[in-house]
Tab-separated table of all heavy atoms in Angstrom:
chain	number	residue	atom	x	y	z
A	17	PRO	N	8.752	-13.024	14.157
A	17	PRO	CA	7.746	-13.690	14.996
A	17	PRO	C	7.067	-12.711	15.949
A	17	PRO	O	7.735	-11.872	16.566
A	17	PRO	CB	8.583	-14.718	15.800
A	17	PRO	CG	9.978	-14.183	15.771
A	17	PRO	CD	10.132	-13.463	14.477
A	18	GLY	N	5.741	-12.802	16.016
A	18	GLY	CA	4.985	-11.969	16.962
A	18	GLY	C	4.767	-10.546	16.500
A	18	GLY	O	4.235	-9.733	17.227
A	19	VAL	N	5.177	-10.231	15.256
A	19	VAL	CA	4.936	-8.878	14.720
A	19	VAL	C	3.866	-8.946	13.641
A	19	VAL	O	4.094	-9.485	12.563
A	19	VAL	CB	6.240	-8.258	14.145
A	19	VAL	CG1	5.988	-6.860	13.599
A	19	VAL	CG2	7.318	-8.216	15.193
A	20	GLY	N	2.673	-8.448	13.952
A	20	GLY	CA	1.553	-8.456	13.004
A	20	GLY	C	1.648	-7.249	12.068
A	20	GLY	O	2.532	-6.425	12.218
A	21	PRO	N	0.726	-7.160	11.105
A	21	PRO	CA	0.767	-6.037	10.137
A	21	PRO	C	0.677	-4.681	10.798
A	21	PRO	O	1.375	-3.753	10.390
A	21	PRO	CB	-0.438	-6.284	9.248
A	21	PRO	CG	-0.964	-7.645	9.566
A	21	PRO	CD	-0.390	-8.085	10.869
A	22	LYS	N	-0.136	-4.545	11.832
A	22	LYS	CA	-0.288	-3.247	12.503
A	22	LYS	C	0.980	-2.852	13.243
A	22	LYS	O	1.407	-1.705	13.192
A	22	LYS	CB	-1.476	-3.284	13.503
A	22	LYS	CG	-2.843	-3.230	12.842
A	22	LYS	CD	-3.267	-1.805	12.495
A	22	LYS	CE	-4.470	-1.843	11.581
A	22	LYS	NZ	-4.791	-0.527	11.024
A	23	SER	N	1.595	-3.808	13.954
A	23	SER	CA	2.846	-3.526	14.659
A	23	SER	C	3.934	-3.199	13.659
A	23	SER	O	4.750	-2.312	13.901
A	23	SER	CB	3.343	-4.712	15.465
A	23	SER	OG	2.348	-5.290	16.210
A	24	ALA	N	3.963	-3.940	12.546
A	24	ALA	CA	5.001	-3.711	11.534
A	24	ALA	C	4.886	-2.283	11.027
A	24	ALA	O	5.900	-1.566	10.875
A	24	ALA	CB	4.860	-4.704	10.384
A	25	GLN	N	3.676	-1.826	10.771
A	25	GLN	CA	3.463	-0.453	10.289
A	25	GLN	C	3.896	0.556	11.325
A	25	GLN	O	4.581	1.539	11.027
A	25	GLN	CB	1.992	-0.288	9.941
A	25	GLN	CG	1.660	1.074	9.361
A	25	GLN	CD	0.190	1.172	8.949
A	25	GLN	OE1	-0.263	0.488	8.047
A	25	GLN	NE2	-0.545	2.003	9.613
A	26	ARG	N	3.536	0.272	12.586
A	26	ARG	CA	3.871	1.182	13.691
A	26	ARG	C	5.390	1.303	13.827
A	26	ARG	O	5.937	2.387	13.980
A	26	ARG	CB	3.254	0.625	14.963
A	26	ARG	CG	3.292	1.584	16.105
A	26	ARG	CD	2.444	1.070	17.251
A	26	ARG	NE	2.796	1.764	18.467
A	26	ARG	CZ	2.693	1.239	19.685
A	26	ARG	NH1	2.258	-0.009	19.817
A	26	ARG	NH2	3.003	1.938	20.760
A	27	ILE	N	6.087	0.148	13.761
A	27	ILE	CA	7.531	0.173	13.890
A	27	ILE	C	8.166	0.892	12.690
A	27	ILE	O	9.079	1.702	12.858
A	27	ILE	CB	8.094	-1.273	14.020
A	27	ILE	CG1	7.587	-1.920	15.309
A	27	ILE	CG2	9.621	-1.277	14.000
A	27	ILE	CD1	7.914	-3.406	15.449
A	28	ALA	N	7.636	0.641	11.486
A	28	ALA	CA	8.189	1.272	10.282
A	28	ALA	C	8.096	2.798	10.372
A	28	ALA	O	9.057	3.499	10.033
A	28	ALA	CB	7.493	0.758	9.035
A	29	PHE	N	6.948	3.299	10.857
A	29	PHE	CA	6.813	4.759	10.964
A	29	PHE	C	7.675	5.322	12.084
A	29	PHE	O	8.168	6.449	12.000
A	29	PHE	CB	5.353	5.190	11.080
A	29	PHE	CG	4.697	5.291	9.736
A	29	PHE	CD1	3.919	4.259	9.239
A	29	PHE	CD2	4.894	6.418	8.951
A	29	PHE	CE1	3.362	4.337	7.976
A	29	PHE	CE2	4.342	6.505	7.691
A	29	PHE	CZ	3.580	5.464	7.199
A	30	HIS	N	7.857	4.494	13.106
A	30	HIS	CA	8.780	4.888	14.164
A	30	HIS	C	10.194	5.044	13.589
A	30	HIS	O	10.900	6.009	13.865
A	30	HIS	CB	8.756	3.862	15.295
A	30	HIS	CG	9.862	3.995	16.280
A	30	HIS	ND1	9.820	4.842	17.373
A	30	HIS	CD2	11.104	3.428	16.314
A	30	HIS	CE1	10.959	4.772	18.038
A	30	HIS	NE2	11.753	3.908	17.417
A	31	VAL	N	10.593	4.068	12.780
A	31	VAL	CA	11.921	4.068	12.157
A	31	VAL	C	12.069	5.331	11.279
A	31	VAL	O	13.098	5.993	11.287
A	31	VAL	CB	12.134	2.774	11.316
A	31	VAL	CG1	13.319	2.914	10.363
A	31	VAL	CG2	12.340	1.585	12.248
A	32	LEU	N	11.005	5.636	10.544
A	32	LEU	CA	11.020	6.761	9.635
A	32	LEU	C	11.314	8.080	10.345
A	32	LEU	O	12.021	8.942	9.816
A	32	LEU	CB	9.652	6.837	8.917
A	32	LEU	CG	9.557	7.722	7.697
A	32	LEU	CD1	10.506	7.253	6.643
A	32	LEU	CD2	8.118	7.697	7.150
A	33	SER	N	10.779	8.212	11.566
A	33	SER	CA	10.968	9.477	12.272
A	33	SER	C	12.083	9.377	13.326
A	33	SER	O	12.365	10.357	13.991
A	33	SER	CB	9.660	9.899	12.916
A	33	SER	OG	9.210	8.904	13.801
A	34	ALA	N	12.695	8.208	13.466
A	34	ALA	CA	13.731	8.042	14.489
A	34	ALA	C	15.054	8.682	14.065
A	34	ALA	O	15.255	8.975	12.898
A	34	ALA	CB	13.933	6.570	14.793
A	35	ASP	N	15.926	8.861	15.039
A	35	ASP	CA	17.277	9.372	14.809
A	35	ASP	C	18.023	8.376	13.879
A	35	ASP	O	18.068	7.183	14.160
A	35	ASP	CB	17.966	9.440	16.168
A	35	ASP	CG	19.336	10.089	16.097
A	35	ASP	OD1	19.974	9.988	15.048
A	35	ASP	OD2	19.743	10.669	17.127
A	36	PRO	N	18.600	8.874	12.768
A	36	PRO	CA	19.307	7.970	11.833
A	36	PRO	C	20.371	7.114	12.553
A	36	PRO	O	20.575	5.962	12.204
A	36	PRO	CB	19.955	8.910	10.824
A	36	PRO	CG	19.157	10.140	10.884
A	36	PRO	CD	18.609	10.259	12.276
A	37	ALA	N	21.025	7.680	13.563
A	37	ALA	CA	22.074	6.935	14.271
A	37	ALA	C	21.471	5.707	14.964
A	37	ALA	O	22.078	4.634	14.975
A	37	ALA	CB	22.783	7.836	15.272
A	38	ASP	N	20.275	5.872	15.553
A	38	ASP	CA	19.630	4.752	16.247
A	38	ASP	C	19.279	3.634	15.270
A	38	ASP	O	19.460	2.457	15.555
A	38	ASP	CB	18.322	5.213	16.952
A	38	ASP	CG	18.620	6.108	18.137
A	38	ASP	OD1	19.775	6.134	18.584
A	38	ASP	OD2	17.692	6.798	18.601
A	39	VAL	N	18.736	4.047	14.106
A	39	VAL	CA	18.328	3.058	13.098
A	39	VAL	C	19.560	2.313	12.571
A	39	VAL	O	19.543	1.105	12.394
A	39	VAL	CB	17.563	3.729	11.952
A	39	VAL	CG1	17.197	2.733	10.883
A	39	VAL	CG2	16.318	4.416	12.499
A	40	ASN	N	20.619	3.078	12.361
A	40	ASN	CA	21.855	2.487	11.884
A	40	ASN	C	22.404	1.464	12.879
A	40	ASN	O	22.878	0.406	12.508
A	40	ASN	CB	22.865	3.616	11.703
A	40	ASN	CG	23.635	3.408	10.427
A	40	ASN	OD1	23.080	2.900	9.445
A	40	ASN	ND2	24.897	3.775	10.452
A	41	ARG	N	22.290	1.808	14.158
A	41	ARG	CA	22.782	0.900	15.199
A	41	ARG	C	21.974	-0.392	15.210
A	41	ARG	O	22.532	-1.478	15.325
A	41	ARG	CB	22.714	1.582	16.575
A	41	ARG	CG	23.794	1.104	17.519
A	41	ARG	CD	23.878	1.912	18.782
A	41	ARG	NE	22.563	2.098	19.359
A	41	ARG	CZ	21.984	3.279	19.568
A	41	ARG	NH1	22.622	4.376	19.263
A	41	ARG	NH2	20.778	3.361	20.082
A	42	LEU	N	20.646	-0.274	15.051
A	42	LEU	CA	19.820	-1.472	14.974
A	42	LEU	C	20.213	-2.339	13.773
A	42	LEU	O	20.388	-3.543	13.886
A	42	LEU	CB	18.350	-1.080	14.910
A	42	LEU	CG	17.332	-2.197	14.649
A	42	LEU	CD1	17.437	-3.294	15.723
A	42	LEU	CD2	15.911	-1.669	14.607
A	43	ALA	N	20.391	-1.683	12.616
A	43	ALA	CA	20.725	-2.414	11.402
A	43	ALA	C	22.067	-3.134	11.525
A	43	ALA	O	22.196	-4.305	11.182
A	43	ALA	CB	20.730	-1.470	10.205
A	44	THR	N	23.065	-2.439	12.057
A	44	THR	CA	24.389	-3.074	12.166
A	44	THR	C	24.387	-4.156	13.234
A	44	THR	O	25.047	-5.172	13.089
A	44	THR	CB	25.509	-2.031	12.455
A	44	THR	OG1	25.100	-1.250	13.571
A	44	THR	CG2	25.754	-1.137	11.277
A	45	THR	N	23.574	-3.965	14.311
A	45	THR	CA	23.519	-5.003	15.346
A	45	THR	C	22.884	-6.286	14.773
A	45	THR	O	23.332	-7.385	15.086
A	45	THR	CB	22.691	-4.520	16.559
A	45	THR	OG1	23.190	-3.235	16.952
A	45	THR	CG2	22.823	-5.468	17.726
A	46	LEU	N	21.886	-6.096	13.929
A	46	LEU	CA	21.253	-7.260	13.257
A	46	LEU	C	22.294	-8.048	12.489
A	46	LEU	O	22.357	-9.272	12.556
A	46	LEU	CB	20.164	-6.790	12.302
A	46	LEU	CG	18.772	-6.545	12.878
A	46	LEU	CD1	17.937	-5.753	11.890
A	46	LEU	CD2	18.087	-7.855	13.201
A	47	GLN	N	23.129	-7.325	11.737
A	47	GLN	CA	24.141	-8.013	10.934
A	47	GLN	C	25.243	-8.601	11.815
A	47	GLN	O	25.725	-9.693	11.550
A	47	GLN	CB	24.728	-7.029	9.904
A	47	GLN	CG	23.699	-6.740	8.810
A	47	GLN	CD	24.048	-5.527	7.967
A	47	GLN	OE1	24.486	-4.516	8.489
A	47	GLN	NE2	23.837	-5.629	6.676
A	48	ARG	N	25.576	-7.875	12.888
A	48	ARG	CA	26.646	-8.328	13.764
A	48	ARG	C	26.257	-9.648	14.466
A	48	ARG	O	27.101	-10.517	14.662
A	48	ARG	CB	26.957	-7.240	14.791
A	48	ARG	CG	28.322	-7.367	15.469
A	48	ARG	CD	28.816	-6.007	15.909
A	48	ARG	NE	27.846	-5.305	16.751
A	48	ARG	CZ	27.662	-5.555	18.051
A	48	ARG	NH1	28.363	-6.457	18.674
A	48	ARG	NH2	26.761	-4.865	18.743
A	49	VAL	N	24.955	-9.759	14.823
A	49	VAL	CA	24.500	-10.990	15.479
A	49	VAL	C	24.794	-12.194	14.591
A	49	VAL	O	25.283	-13.221	15.082
A	49	VAL	CB	23.001	-10.904	15.815
A	49	VAL	CG1	22.381	-12.276	16.002
A	49	VAL	CG2	22.801	-10.098	17.097
A	50	LYS	N	24.519	-12.037	13.309
A	50	LYS	CA	24.752	-13.160	12.400
A	50	LYS	C	26.230	-13.488	12.247
A	50	LYS	O	26.597	-14.642	12.008
A	50	LYS	CB	24.162	-12.878	11.013
A	50	LYS	CG	22.668	-12.714	10.980
A	50	LYS	CD	21.936	-13.926	11.516
A	50	LYS	CE	21.984	-15.133	10.583
A	50	LYS	NZ	21.195	-16.257	11.134
A	51	GLU	N	27.074	-12.459	12.382
A	51	GLU	CA	28.507	-12.697	12.226
A	51	GLU	C	29.167	-13.119	13.527
A	51	GLU	O	30.001	-14.036	13.533
A	51	GLU	CB	29.200	-11.404	11.734
A	51	GLU	CG	28.864	-11.061	10.285
A	51	GLU	CD	29.001	-9.570	10.012
A	51	GLU	OE1	29.641	-8.868	10.816
A	51	GLU	OE2	28.420	-9.115	8.991
A	52	ALA	N	28.801	-12.430	14.633
A	52	ALA	CA	29.574	-12.600	15.861
A	52	ALA	C	29.070	-13.760	16.748
A	52	ALA	O	29.857	-14.380	17.422
A	52	ALA	CB	29.564	-11.308	16.653
A	53	VAL	N	27.747	-13.987	16.738
A	53	VAL	CA	27.237	-14.966	17.702
A	53	VAL	C	27.369	-16.388	17.197
A	53	VAL	O	26.962	-16.707	16.080
A	53	VAL	CB	25.763	-14.650	18.080
A	53	VAL	CG1	25.239	-15.680	19.051
A	53	VAL	CG2	25.663	-13.275	18.697
A	54	ARG	N	28.010	-17.207	18.028
A	54	ARG	CA	28.155	-18.616	17.674
A	54	ARG	C	27.584	-19.434	18.830
A	54	ARG	O	27.054	-18.875	19.787
A	54	ARG	CB	29.640	-18.919	17.510
A	54	ARG	CG	30.248	-18.164	16.331
A	54	ARG	CD	31.673	-18.526	16.145
A	54	ARG	NE	32.531	-17.746	17.010
A	54	ARG	CZ	33.815	-18.024	17.235
A	54	ARG	NH1	34.361	-19.104	16.695
A	54	ARG	NH2	34.552	-17.249	17.996
A	55	PHE	N	27.725	-20.741	18.757
A	55	PHE	CA	27.314	-21.569	19.879
A	55	PHE	C	28.559	-22.106	20.555
A	55	PHE	O	29.534	-22.468	19.894
A	55	PHE	CB	26.381	-22.680	19.386
A	55	PHE	CG	25.048	-22.141	18.952
A	55	PHE	CD1	24.770	-21.917	17.598
A	55	PHE	CD2	24.089	-21.803	19.891
A	55	PHE	CE1	23.552	-21.394	17.204
A	55	PHE	CE2	22.871	-21.282	19.491
A	55	PHE	CZ	22.604	-21.061	18.151
A	56	CYS	N	28.552	-22.099	21.871
A	56	CYS	CA	29.682	-22.593	22.674
A	56	CYS	C	30.031	-24.024	22.256
A	56	CYS	O	29.130	-24.864	22.148
A	56	CYS	CB	29.313	-22.532	24.150
A	56	CYS	SG	30.527	-23.267	25.225
A	57	ALA	N	31.296	-24.304	22.045
A	57	ALA	CA	31.739	-25.629	21.591
A	57	ALA	C	31.552	-26.683	22.667
A	57	ALA	O	31.521	-27.884	22.384
A	57	ALA	CB	33.191	-25.557	21.157
A	58	VAL	N	31.412	-26.259	23.925
A	58	VAL	CA	31.267	-27.205	25.018
A	58	VAL	C	29.794	-27.450	25.353
A	58	VAL	O	29.304	-28.574	25.335
A	58	VAL	CB	32.031	-26.726	26.279
A	58	VAL	CG1	31.834	-27.709	27.446
A	58	VAL	CG2	33.491	-26.530	25.970
A	59	CYS	N	29.056	-26.350	25.630
A	59	CYS	CA	27.685	-26.510	26.149
A	59	CYS	C	26.607	-26.091	25.164
A	59	CYS	O	25.430	-26.274	25.439
A	59	CYS	CB	27.551	-25.753	27.471
A	59	CYS	SG	27.395	-23.973	27.244
A	60	PHE	N	26.958	-25.458	24.043
A	60	PHE	CA	26.004	-25.032	23.028
A	60	PHE	C	25.109	-23.861	23.420
A	60	PHE	O	24.094	-23.616	22.807
A	60	PHE	CB	25.189	-26.197	22.482
A	60	PHE	CG	26.050	-27.308	21.991
A	60	PHE	CD1	26.331	-28.405	22.814
A	60	PHE	CD2	26.661	-27.230	20.756
A	60	PHE	CE1	27.195	-29.417	22.384
A	60	PHE	CE2	27.512	-28.237	20.325
A	60	PHE	CZ	27.770	-29.332	21.131
A	61	ASN	N	25.545	-23.153	24.481
A	61	ASN	CA	24.922	-21.889	24.832
A	61	ASN	C	25.347	-20.870	23.764
A	61	ASN	O	26.307	-21.125	23.027
A	61	ASN	CB	25.433	-21.457	26.206
A	61	ASN	CG	24.729	-20.245	26.752
A	61	ASN	OD1	23.729	-19.780	26.193
A	61	ASN	ND2	25.261	-19.700	27.839
A	62	VAL	N	24.667	-19.720	23.639
A	62	VAL	CA	25.171	-18.678	22.724
A	62	VAL	C	26.453	-18.113	23.281
A	62	VAL	O	26.618	-17.998	24.509
A	62	VAL	CB	24.145	-17.533	22.483
A	62	VAL	CG1	23.006	-18.026	21.625
A	62	VAL	CG2	23.647	-16.955	23.770
A	63	ALA	N	27.387	-17.786	22.395
A	63	ALA	CA	28.694	-17.320	22.819
A	63	ALA	C	29.274	-16.437	21.737
A	63	ALA	O	28.855	-16.495	20.581
A	63	ALA	CB	29.617	-18.510	23.052
A	64	GLU	N	30.237	-15.583	22.113
A	64	GLU	CA	30.888	-14.751	21.115
A	64	GLU	C	32.270	-15.306	20.790
A	64	GLU	O	32.894	-14.861	19.845
A	64	GLU	CB	30.984	-13.299	21.595
A	64	GLU	CG	29.636	-12.660	21.748
A	64	GLU	CD	29.528	-11.363	20.949
A	64	GLU	OE1	30.340	-10.449	21.151
A	64	GLU	OE2	28.583	-11.272	20.136
A	65	SER	N	32.748	-16.229	21.619
A	65	SER	CA	34.019	-16.842	21.285
A	65	SER	C	33.809	-18.368	21.262
A	65	SER	O	32.671	-18.828	21.212
A	65	SER	CB	35.084	-16.446	22.299
A	65	SER	OG	34.645	-16.782	23.596
A	66	ASP	N	34.872	-19.134	21.282
A	66	ASP	CA	34.768	-20.578	21.202
A	66	ASP	C	33.965	-21.157	22.355
A	66	ASP	O	33.212	-22.100	22.193
A	66	ASP	CB	36.208	-21.145	21.172
A	66	ASP	CG	36.191	-22.628	20.917
A	66	ASP	OD1	35.516	-23.054	19.963
A	66	ASP	OD2	36.861	-23.365	21.674
A	67	ARG	N	34.173	-20.582	23.566
A	67	ARG	CA	33.435	-21.049	24.731
A	67	ARG	C	32.633	-19.926	25.346
A	67	ARG	O	33.025	-18.765	25.305
A	67	ARG	CB	34.416	-21.615	25.766
A	67	ARG	CG	35.103	-22.911	25.232
A	67	ARG	CD	35.611	-23.798	26.356
A	67	ARG	NE	36.664	-23.116	27.116
A	67	ARG	CZ	36.966	-23.412	28.378
A	67	ARG	NH1	36.268	-24.337	29.029
A	67	ARG	NH2	37.949	-22.779	28.977
A	68	CYS	N	31.447	-20.265	25.905
A	68	CYS	CA	30.575	-19.234	26.437
A	68	CYS	C	31.084	-18.729	27.811
A	68	CYS	O	31.993	-19.302	28.377
A	68	CYS	CB	29.144	-19.737	26.571
A	68	CYS	SG	28.897	-20.824	27.978
Side-chain angles (χ1 to χ4, degrees):
Chain A
V19 180
K22 285 277 168 190
S23 313
Q25 183 176 295
R26 191 169 163 210
I27 296 173
F29 276 98
H30 167 86
V31 165
L32 194 60
S33 58
D35 186 333
D38 290 345
V39 177
N40 222 34
R41 210 171 47 240
L42 172 58
T44 51
T45 310
L46 274 165
Q47 288 165 318
R48 200 153 53 80
V49 159
K50 296 303 288 182
E51 289 154 17
V53 178
R54 295 183 276 166
F55 290 99
C56 173
V58 178
C59 76
F60 306 97
N61 187 10
V62 288
E64 294 235 304
S65 56
D66 187 49
R67 293 204 295 156
C68 77

